[in-house]
Amino acid sequence: MKRINLLLTLPLLLFACKEAKKENVDAKSKGPSATIVDVLIAGTGNVDNKVEVNGSVIPMETVNINPEVSGRLTLLNAPDGAKVAQGAVLARINDADLQASLSKTKVLLELAQKNEERLRKLLAINGINQSEYDLALNQVNGLKADLQITQAQIDKTIIKAPFAGVLGLRQISPGAYVTPAVTLTTLQQVDKVKVDFNVPEFYTNMIRVGSSVQVQTNEANDKRRATVIATDPQINPTTRNLRVRAVLDGPSLSPGTFVKVFLEGSKNKSSILVPTNAIIPDAKAKKIIVARGGEGVFVDIETGMRGTGFVEVTKGLQPGDSVVVTGVLFVRPKQPVKVRSVKQLSDIIK
C-alpha cells in the first residue's frame, strides 16, 4: 500500500518542480518592476533675473578723533552728537613749553638776522672773508627751520575736524591726560551714506560701476535707488563673494542699518525651469532624470539663476524632455519607469 502511494506522489512532485522552475524563468524574463514617477514636460518660460542680498549702511566718511601728541587737555569742545563744520577746533593740548621754545627761537633768530646783515655789508667792502658770512647766514637759516619745527609741534596740539559731520559719544573728559592711543570721540559724515553688500560669484556679471540697485529697509516697503561706485578687486576666496559699495540716493539712513539689496539682470528672459527637488547634486556635476523610451536616463546639466522652488537650466536639457519630478530617489540608470501623470511647473512650485 505504501508503495502505491509513493508511485502516485512522485509525478505530482515532478510537476510542481517544473511549474516552479517555469515561474522563475518567467520572472527573470520580465526583469525588475517599473518605478512609478511623475514627469514635467520641459518648456521655456519668461523669468525676471532678480537677486536679493543683504547689505549694511555705512557713513560716507568716518574717523576716530585722536590727538597727535601727548599732553593735558586744556580745551574740549566736542559735545555728544553735535554737528561740526570742517576745520572746527575740537580740543587743545597744553602747549606752554612749546610756546616758550617758540619765543626763544624768535629772539635768537632776530639777533642772528642782525648779525648776518652787518656781515653782509662788510663782505660787500671786502671787510671779511666769504666763510664768515656763510656761517652767519647758515645760523639764520637753521633758526628759521627750528621755528618751523616748533610751530608744527604747536599745530599738533590743536585738534580740528577733518570734515563736516556729526560727532559721536565723547570718550574723555576735560583736563584729562591723553596720548595718541586715546580716542576722544568719533566723527561721521552722514548727510550721504553708502551701502556695502556681498554678491555671490555667479551673479557678479550683474554688477557694474555706475549701475543702479534697489535698496529696502525692514522698516519700509518702498525701495530706494543706490548707485554702485566701486567693487573689491578680487572675489573673497573663502566665501566666494564679491564685496560691492554703492551710494544711496535721497535722505540718508542711520549707519549700521540692515538693508536688502535687489539686483536686476535680464527681464522676461526665456529659460527652461525645473523644480529644485528634481536636481541630483553630484561631486562632479549636477544631474537630472529624463524619461526616454520607458527608461530613466541620467543627464548632466548646468544651472543658472535660482528662484523660490525652481532652477534655471542653461545646458543639457531640451524643450519637450520629460523630466522626472517625483520618485527621483528610486529611479536607477537604464531601469524602467512608468509615468503616472504629467505635472505643470505651477502645480509643483506653490
Side-chain angles (χ1 to χ4, degrees), residues 2 53 85 221 269 321:
K2 292 181 178 179
V53 296
N221 293 325
K269 179 183 178 182
D321 287 342

Side-chain angles (χ1 to χ4, degrees), residues 81-92:
K83 292 183 179 180
V84 295
Q86 182 179 5
V89 177
L90 304 179
R92 290 180 182 270

Side-chain angles (χ1 to χ4, degrees), residues 37-308:
V37 298
D38 296 320
V39 298
L40 171 72
I41 304 301
T44 59
N46 293 333
V47 61
D48 290 340
N49 193 4
K50 292 184 178 181
V51 179
E52 176 185 336
V53 296
N54 296 331
S56 182
V57 176
I58 62 173
M60 182 63 71
E61 301 291 348
T62 181
V63 67
N64 290 335
I65 303 298
N66 295 71
E68 292 189 68
V69 295
S70 301
R72 186 77 59 185
L73 285 177
T74 58
L75 172 69
L76 184 58
N77 183 29
D80 295 337
K83 292 183 179 180
V84 295
Q86 182 179 5
V89 177
L90 304 179
R92 290 180 182 270
I93 295 176
N94 184 15
D95 61 350
D97 54 339
L98 295 175
Q99 292 290 352
S101 178
L102 183 67
S103 299
K104 179 181 177 181
T105 304
K106 286 181 179 180
V107 172
L108 294 176
L109 176 60
E110 184 180 358
L111 180 60
Q113 287 175 333
K114 290 180 179 180
N115 185 46
E116 181 268 338
E117 185 179 353
R118 286 195 300 267
L119 293 180
R120 181 164 20 96
K121 292 178 181 179
L122 291 175
L123 180 64
I125 59 175
N126 294 324
I128 58 172
N129 54 37
Q130 184 68 40
S131 61
E132 291 183 66
Y133 173 76
D134 291 342
L135 288 174
L137 182 61
N138 184 61
Q139 186 179 15
V140 171
N141 293 333
L143 289 172
K144 287 181 178 180
D146 291 342
L147 197 65
Q148 292 178 349
I149 292 174
T150 305
Q151 186 60 55
Q153 292 175 337
I154 292 175
D155 293 340
K156 289 181 179 182
T157 64
I158 304 172
I159 303 169
K160 298 180 180 180
F163 51 82
V166 179
L167 295 174
L169 301 181
R170 199 178 63 195
Q171 304 296 320
I172 206 73
S173 298
Y177 184 87
V178 296
T179 66
V182 175
T183 299
L184 306 184
T185 185
T186 59
L187 179 63
Q188 297 181 349
Q189 184 181 357
V190 294
D191 53 343
K192 294 283 287 184
V193 294
K194 296 178 285 191
V195 178
D196 277 6
F197 55 96
N198 294 317
V199 177
E201 179 182 3
F202 182 82
Y203 301 109
T204 53
N205 61 338
M206 301 172 64
I207 293 296
R208 300 184 310 276
V209 175
S211 62
S212 298
V213 296
Q214 298 294 323
V215 177
Q216 178 183 358
T217 65
N218 288 333
E219 299 178 354
N221 293 325
D222 60 318
K223 296 178 182 178
R224 297 170 54 183
R225 181 175 175 271
T227 304
V228 176
I229 60 171
T231 63
D232 264 349
Q234 71 171 15
I235 294 174
N236 189 310
T238 303
T239 62
R240 312 309 307 177
N241 290 336
L242 176 69
R243 189 178 181 189
V244 184
R245 178 166 292 173
V247 176
L248 186 66
D249 295 345
S252 64
L253 299 173
S254 298
T257 301
F258 171 82
V259 295
K260 293 180 180 179
V261 181
F262 297 89
L263 313 178
E264 288 192 7
S266 56
K267 293 186 177 181
N268 297 325
K269 179 183 178 182
S270 182
S271 304
I272 297 177
L273 305 178
V274 297
T276 54
N277 58 359
I279 297 178
I280 304 173
D282 197 351
K284 296 182 179 179
K286 298 174 183 176
K287 297 182 181 294
I288 206 165
I289 303 174
V290 177
R292 291 176 182 169
E295 294 181 344
V297 180
F298 284 69
V299 179
D300 291 341
I301 63 169
E302 293 181 6
T303 59
M305 185 199 68
R306 288 181 174 270
T308 305

